[in-house]
Amino acid sequence: MKTCLVVDDSGVVRKIARRILEGLDFQVIEAEDGAKALEVCRRGLPEAVLLDWNMPVMDGYEFLGNLRRMPGGDAPKVVFCTTENGMDHISRALHAGANEYIMKPFDKDIVAAKFAEVGLIELADSTLV
């Protein structure tokens, strides 16, 4: 079973993401900020990271830079999931090593489509694309 690290300071968002991702057959690990997410990654890298941008302690952008500099840190597929929808934010995220970008609010279809685009899952139902 693949592992997805959900990094968001909102417990509600983490709960919704957990429900969606478990439905897509992921084991879910949660972290409420980038610093805690880095601790998780140091213990073992997940296959996927669903990452918020704006968080206390360490934001998603800073976490992503630290992740990509870790040994093996280029392997996890990182999907930003944020309210930041400006082209400058999207461009910065992709340039820093994010694989995809989802706008909040999100639903199962959106997450499934983006995870399929980056090769984390295969969509059996073409209506999800």
Side-chain angles (χ1 to χ4, degrees), residues 6-31:
V6 176
V7 189
D8 200 298
D9 57 327
S10 166
V12 172
V13 171
R14 290 194 312 271
K15 183 176 182 177
I16 292 167
R18 172 182 287 278
R19 190 168 295 140
I20 290 170
L21 290 162
E22 286 177 345
L24 296 172
D25 293 327
F26 280 87
Q27 177 184 349
V28 176
I29 304 166
E30 297 181 22

Side-chain angles (χ1 to χ4, degrees), residues 112-128:
K114 293 296 185 176
F115 274 45
E117 283 181 33
V118 298
L120 287 164
I121 63 170
E122 288 186 29
L123 292 180
D125 182 355
S126 61
T127 61
L128 291 178

Side-chain angles (χ1 to χ4, degrees), residues 36-106:
K36 287 190 172 57
L38 273 180
E39 290 174 21
V40 169
C41 291
R42 286 186 188 109
R43 291 192 297 267
L45 291 170
E47 283 85 3
V49 180
L50 190 63
L51 181 63
D52 186 24
W53 191 295
N54 298 307
M55 296 176 289
V57 184
M58 180 186 293
D59 67 22
Y61 184 78
E62 187 178 350
F63 163 80
L64 180 58
N66 282 299
L67 171 68
R68 292 305 193 212
R69 287 189 294 275
M70 289 175 66
D74 56 337
K77 301 290 185 183
V78 176
V79 177
F80 259 107
C81 181
T82 180
T83 58
E84 298 292 346
N85 61 1
M87 283 306 298
D88 57 327
H89 277 90
I90 296 170
S91 173
R92 278 181 65 205
L94 296 174
H95 188 262
N99 300 92
E100 257 306 340
Y101 206 94
I102 295 174
M103 301 298 164
K104 289 180 184 174
F106 58 90

